[in-house]
Amino acid sequence: KESCGFFRNEIIAKHVVRNWKKIKPIKLKIKLLIILTILITTYSFAQNDIEINCDSIYPKKEIKINLIRIKNPEFEKPNYILKIKKGSDILIKDSIYSAVGKIEFRDFNDDNYKDILVQNISDVRSNWTYYLYLYNPKSNLFKKVKGFEQIKNPEFNSKYDIVECYIVSGKDRMEFFKIVNEKVKNLNISIIDTHKTGEFKQAYNKAIKKITE
């Protein structure tokens, strides 16, 4: 709840700054006080550091995840230090921005081992993006996938070894990506969802056929 409040206050702060000239009846000092109060609330909003023991995900591997909050981060700059550890060894250390500080575990390379996703942003239509760290069961190491945070609402399609993203926007659409050597490859195929019976399924099947040719 706290993290959602933090994100909501950021939106309020932006709204007040955008509408600065519209607050005509209020004197300048009061304007400054209002904006200063909102900004202080936004950037000092308390959220506890997060630690996850991953024994249930990676049994007997001693893997832990820490999200350590950065004090007074700059606006829309990294606000967390992410650490993925094996025992006392730090496998990954990354400075990231996360609007809600959420961690998920999903398989994104069809090896039957769950990988680590850390929520990045949520846009005005609540399309979420993530950072992705792929787990290698042979080495017990993780690798960050470059550019993965550009993909909104990512879902892995194991049948075709691709990442699909359904984007809610003025025109709802689906886009397709592939992970190659820990990098994101845009397949440059996009289909519009007209919400008419049968049209999306037909367009989807056509896109899949093109991808697999």
Side-chain angles (χ1 to χ4, degrees), residues 62-64 83-92 141:
E62 299 182 90
I63 293 174
K64 290 185 178 180
K83 291 183 181 179
I84 303 175
K85 300 187 293 185
K86 177 178 171 57
S88 59
D89 296 331
I90 298 175
L91 307 179
I92 293 282
L141 298 175

Side-chain angles (χ1 to χ4, degrees), residues 108-109 132 134 143-148 150-151 156 160-163 176-187 211:
F108 265 85
N109 54 1
L132 174 62
L134 293 177
K143 285 193 175 181
K144 183 178 182 179
V145 176
K146 294 181 180 179
F148 191 82
Q150 71 178 286
I151 305 175
F156 181 66
Y160 302 109
D161 190 29
I162 57 175
V163 180
F176 301 86
F177 300 83
K178 192 174 182 67
I179 298 173
V180 182
N181 297 324
E182 290 81 46
K183 294 180 181 179
V184 165
K185 179 182 178 181
N186 191 336
L187 299 180
I211 290 169

Side-chain angles (χ1 to χ4, degrees), residues 11-21 23 35 39:
I11 296 173
I12 294 171
K14 288 181 181 179
H15 177 78
V16 171
V17 171
R18 281 198 304 266
N19 291 280
W20 170 273
K21 294 181 181 180
I23 315 176
I35 291 177
L39 291 176

Side-chain angles (χ1 to χ4, degrees), residues 141-202:
L141 298 175
F142 292 84
K143 285 193 175 181
K144 183 178 182 179
V145 176
K146 294 181 180 179
F148 191 82
E149 57 271 25
Q150 71 178 286
I151 305 175
K152 297 183 177 183
N153 308 318
E155 293 290 341
F156 181 66
N157 186 325
S158 59
K159 184 176 180 179
Y160 302 109
D161 190 29
I162 57 175
V163 180
E164 302 174 345
C165 69
Y166 187 92
I167 303 169
V168 179
S169 64
K171 289 184 177 180
D172 298 342
R173 68 187 187 277
M174 178 173 279
E175 297 177 350
F176 301 86
F177 300 83
K178 192 174 182 67
I179 298 173
V180 182
N181 297 324
E182 290 81 46
K183 294 180 181 179
V184 165
K185 179 182 178 181
N186 191 336
L187 299 180
N188 295 312
I189 296 175
S190 178
I191 56 176
I192 302 297
D193 188 355
T194 61
H195 299 282
K196 294 180 179 179
T197 305
E199 285 192 5
F200 180 77
K201 185 176 181 181
Q202 185 178 359

